[in-house]
Each structure stands twice: as C-alpha cells, then as structure tokens.
C-alpha cells in the first residue's frame, strides 16, 4: 500500500460528517490529520449545533483524530468568518496538507462557495456523500451501528418534541414529509456519540431544552427572525 495522502475534515460532530468520515477511512487513501470545527467564542459551543466543546473533544479523542478549532464571535459576519478560516487553513497548509473533506450532500450553492474559497488557497475539496439519496444514507448510518442525538431543530420545520431524540426508524417514520431525512436543508442538527469508528461511546446526560431566536436578513435585505430548539448535552 502506498503512502496515505494527508488531509483534514471539516467537522460538525453530526451524522453526515461522521458517515462521510467513515467512508473516507474505509477507502484507506487519506490520512485525516485534523477535525476542523468552528465554535461560538462566547458560548464555547459548536457553531449552529450548540454542542459543548468538551463533548467535541471527547468525540475526537474516541476517533483518535485531533481537533483544529476556529473560534468565532457571536456577531461575526462572513468577512470575519472567512478571515478566521483562512488563518487556520494556512496553518494546516504549512504542514503539507492540501486536501479536505465535507459531509455535504446536495446543497449546490454551498459546495460551489466552499470549492471557490478553497481553490484560492490551493486546497482540494472532496464530498464523499455528494448526490446520495438521503433516505438511503440515514438508513445506512443506522444499520452500520452509529448512534446520534438531535441537538437542534428549526422550530418552523419541527416541534420541540423532536429535539433530544436518538435517530432511529421510529424517528424517521415520524418526520413530516417536507423535512429531509438527513436534515440537509437545516431542519435539524445532530451529535454522534457511538459507532464503528469510535473507540468508546461519548458519555453525557440530557440537560434542558432551550428556544433561541436569531435575527438576520433575507435575500431582499429585510430583517427576519429564526427560532431554534436546542437540547443541551452535559458531559459526564
């Protein structure tokens, strides 16, 4: 076998990232050196997912892959995000790493944005799950023995009752028809705590469920608000 190609993984801690990582490791062509994760600087939690930093560190330790953290202020805009990411990616590049992976499935605009920005710094982006059937993907994920908990839901798409649940067949059967089985349109986010690539399960207790409101602007530059339910996970 030839030498493995060094790479890093853009990591959220959720099921799509995990399944994509599983597939990359199965191929045995790349050496994943880092899990690159963005955190909310004030809350010290994974961006959008709301999972505590300590749980991500425990997850990475169980995967035996170090975390490369990017901390962003709550009020950061795209220019601040891109600046912070570029600084971190330049550090990674200095180690001779020029390939990276994402768990994206079918959001074409997002893929184009990622590829364009990475091309500017001579990084090749790979998408192991691209254009896969999301219903088949989530079933494969479950059948492989991975376990994941829903930690965030868009309240306009799913009710409070869906957050804090483990994704299983019953969960999938109860999803509304307009919700993607993988939550690929941002309907929900997850935290994976066990599976075939983990040395041991990540232990936690369920904390409180919290409703948070975020202000933004739509494509017409009009102010809009979004509400999300979060399930706090407490490390034990």
């Amino acid at each position: 076998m030839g030498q493995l190609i060094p790479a890093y993984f853009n990591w959220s801690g959720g099921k799509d990232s995990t399944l994509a990582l599983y597939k990359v490791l199965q191929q045995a062509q790349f050496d994943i050196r880092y899990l690159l994760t963005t955190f909310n600087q004030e809350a010290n939690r994974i961006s959008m997912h709301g999972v505590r930093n300590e749980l991500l560190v425990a997850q990475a330790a169980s995967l035996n892959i170090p975390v490369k953290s990017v901390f962003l202020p709550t009020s950061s805009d795209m220019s601040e995000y891109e600046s912070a990411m570029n600084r971190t990616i330049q550090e990674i590049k200095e180690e001779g790493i020029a390939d990276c992976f994402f768990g994206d499935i079918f959001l074409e605009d997002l893929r184009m944005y990622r590829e364009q920005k990475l091309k500017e710094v001579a990084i090749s982006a790979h998408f192991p799950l691209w254009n896969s059937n999301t219903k088949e993907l989530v079933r494969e994920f479950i059948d492989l023995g991975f376990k994941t908990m829903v930690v965030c839901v868009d309240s306009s798409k799913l009710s409070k009752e869906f957050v804090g649940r483990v994704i299983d067949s019953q969960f999938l059967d109860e999803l509304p028809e307009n919700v993607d089985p993988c939550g690929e349109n941002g309907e929900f986010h997850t935290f994976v705590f066990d599976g075939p690539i983990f040395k041991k399960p990540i232990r936690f207790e369920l904390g409180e469920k919290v409703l948070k409101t975020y202000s933004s602007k739509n494509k017409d530059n009009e102010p809009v608000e979004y509400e999300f339910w979060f399930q706090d996970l407490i490390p034990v």
Side-chain angles (χ1 to χ4, degrees):
M1 182 183 294
Q3 188 172 0
L4 298 180
I5 302 167
Y8 70 91
F9 206 105
N10 294 272
W11 187 254
S12 69
K15 59 177 177 33
D16 300 336
S17 289
T18 303
L19 185 57
L21 176 62
Y22 170 83
K23 291 180 179 292
V24 173
L25 295 177
Q26 290 293 106
Q27 293 169 357
Q29 296 177 341
F30 289 88
D31 175 17
I32 304 299
R33 302 278 181 85
Y34 297 109
L35 303 177
L36 177 63
T37 306
T38 59
F39 293 89
N40 178 293
Q41 187 172 285
E42 288 81 6
N44 199 26
R45 294 172 182 256
I46 300 173
S47 300
M48 273 310 301
H49 292 224
V51 173
R52 298 170 188 242
N53 192 336
E54 302 99 305
L55 286 172
L56 188 282
V57 170
Q59 191 184 50
S62 187
L63 291 167
N64 199 30
I65 304 174
V67 178
K68 179 72 76 170
S69 303
V70 180
F71 290 94
L72 300 168
T74 303
S75 57
S76 62
D77 56 22
M78 283 304 296
S79 62
E80 291 175 295
Y81 167 81
E82 290 175 357
S83 177
M85 289 295 288
N86 282 339
R87 285 195 300 271
T88 305
I89 290 170
Q90 287 298 337
E91 293 175 6
I92 293 173
K93 276 199 67 180
E94 289 173 6
E95 298 183 32
I97 300 172
D99 289 88
C100 72
F101 289 86
F102 293 90
D104 299 316
I105 304 171
F106 58 64
L107 299 180
E108 189 69 47
D109 290 348
L110 184 57
R111 174 170 178 162
M112 289 175 62
Y113 167 79
R114 298 196 197 285
E115 288 179 326
Q116 175 193 339
K117 290 299 177 182
L118 289 166
K119 186 177 181 181
E120 293 172 4
V121 291
I123 297 282
S124 297
H126 307 275
F127 301 80
L129 306 183
W130 191 250
N131 270 341
S132 297
N133 180 296
T134 52
K135 185 176 292 186
E136 293 175 1
L137 275 182
V138 72
R139 294 287 181 184
E140 178 186 5
F141 178 86
I142 294 169
D143 290 344
L144 285 167
F146 286 107
K147 298 186 186 303
T148 191
M149 174 159 287
V150 178
V151 291
C152 171
V153 301
D154 181 341
S155 68
S156 69
K157 305 288 179 59
L158 288 170
S159 67
K160 176 183 180 180
E161 287 68 35
F162 281 92
V163 73
R165 290 180 59 179
V166 171
I167 292 184
D168 54 17
S169 293
Q170 183 179 347
F171 176 91
L172 296 175
D173 290 342
E174 293 176 12
L175 281 180
E177 288 188 7
N178 64 331
V179 172
D180 182 79
C182 283
E184 180 67 353
N185 296 305
E187 299 97 330
F188 61 90
H189 301 287
T190 62
F191 176 75
V192 180
F193 57 90
D194 198 8
I197 57 176
F198 291 87
K199 291 189 295 183
K200 62 180 181 179
I202 291 79
R203 299 178 63 237
F204 59 86
E205 294 177 349
L206 295 183
E208 62 179 338
K209 294 183 181 182
V210 180
L211 182 65
K212 293 189 176 182
T213 303
Y214 299 89
S215 299
S216 185
K217 291 185 178 180
N218 62 19
K219 61 182 180 181
D220 298 319
N221 207 35
E222 299 168 336
V224 292
E225 288 191 341
Y226 302 96
E227 289 187 335
F228 294 86
W229 280 105
F230 290 89
Q231 171 66 65
D232 192 18
L233 305 182
I234 303 170
V236 295

